[in-house]
Amino acid sequence: LAEAAAAEASQLVRIRLGLERCADGGAEDERLMAPLGDKAEAYNYDLRFQAAVGDALKVKRAAVLAAAMQRGGGGGLAAAMVAVLPLQASRVDLTGFDLGDDGVMVGTVVAWMESEPSALTSLTLDWGKVCGRVREAVLGAVLKTHTLVALSVGEEGAMPLNPQQLCGREAVPSLDLSGKRLGPGSAAVVAAGLSVNKVLTDLNLCYNQIRHEGAAAIAE
């Protein structure tokens, strides 16, 4: 499956760049490297081309994660692929995944987050039900992501947080999060963003339920 998707993307790259007539094989291989990279949009604005490359990259990432999952004791590569393919979507909901202590999906989800998924724009999980490794991976992703704009940690009624604003990648000098029903999990996310934010000068967190642990994390 991965080879078929990659072959389709490669063929479209060759057509768009006119490389079928290229006599220098070395130059052809070198020029194919960049368009098949993670940021294909930088090289071509053809939507069909972008979709083919994007699909190939999603399958590639899923195959890598599935292989890691299988090595960790999964039930075969095909079953692992079925489990990890949802992680390649732009909107990912982890609430149904086994992510507690000794959860079967912990290693896979942590590896996925550490890979800095370039398609991810929305992420949902239950902060109270995931283990420390997953929490650390989420906070690490908050610091690195350039695409995630909606992060919900499963606190009832809480507003999703925007890591781009929290980290200062969106130059927002003032941020009003008052009365958003944020809890300790959201506070941990806010604290992670503030640790690298160089532009925020005013933050309002009044009328939330961040508790002592949330306040302590932000104070650090």
Side-chain angles (χ1 to χ4, degrees):
L1 183 59
E3 290 182 0
E8 180 183 357
S10 177
Q11 182 181 20
L12 285 169
V13 173
R14 290 170 183 268
I15 292 172
R16 292 294 299 177
L17 297 181
L19 293 177
E20 292 294 349
R21 299 192 181 114
C22 182
D24 187 348
E28 177 177 331
D29 291 340
E30 182 179 346
R31 291 185 66 188
L32 280 173
M33 292 287 289
L36 289 175
D38 283 355
K39 297 182 178 179
E41 67 275 10
Y43 302 93
N44 195 294
Y45 294 96
D46 184 287
L47 295 181
R48 183 168 175 267
F49 164 77
Q50 291 183 29
V53 173
D55 288 345
L57 290 170
K58 287 178 182 179
V59 174
K60 172 189 172 184
R61 295 188 189 106
V64 171
L65 288 172
M69 181 179 175
Q70 186 184 27
R71 287 195 298 272
L77 185 59
M81 283 287 287
V82 172
V84 303
L85 274 173
L87 298 178
Q88 307 309 313
S90 59
R91 300 173 61 88
V92 175
D93 187 345
L94 298 176
T95 54
F97 286 58
D98 184 3
L99 297 174
D101 293 330
D102 301 320
V104 297
M105 288 294 290
V106 169
T108 300
V109 168
V110 168
W112 167 68
M113 290 186 185
E114 291 177 346
S115 73
E116 302 179 35
S118 58
L120 184 66
T121 60
S122 174
L123 177 63
T124 302
L125 69 150
D126 190 332
W127 190 262
K129 294 182 179 179
V130 302
C131 67
R133 284 185 62 199
V134 174
R135 290 184 179 186
E136 289 179 7
V138 170
L139 298 181
V142 167
L143 298 178
K144 297 178 181 178
T145 179
H146 289 269
T147 59
L148 182 60
V149 295
L151 173 58
S152 175
V153 295
E155 294 162 339
E156 186 175 358
M159 181 192 76
L161 297 169
N162 184 340
Q164 308 309 311
Q165 294 179 346
L166 294 175
C167 293
R169 283 185 283 273
E170 287 185 16
V172 179
S174 179
L175 197 55
D176 185 1
L177 297 178
S178 61
K180 304 302 182 184
R181 307 182 74 173
L182 306 179
S186 294
V189 173
V190 171
L194 293 180
S195 70
V196 297
N197 194 316
K198 305 299 183 183
V199 298
L200 188 67
T201 58
D202 182 35
L203 174 65
N204 189 346
L205 283 169
C206 293
Y207 309 113
N208 286 295
Q209 297 88 41
I210 64 175
R211 304 176 188 170
H212 176 74
E213 58 187 290
I218 291 173
E220 292 179 359

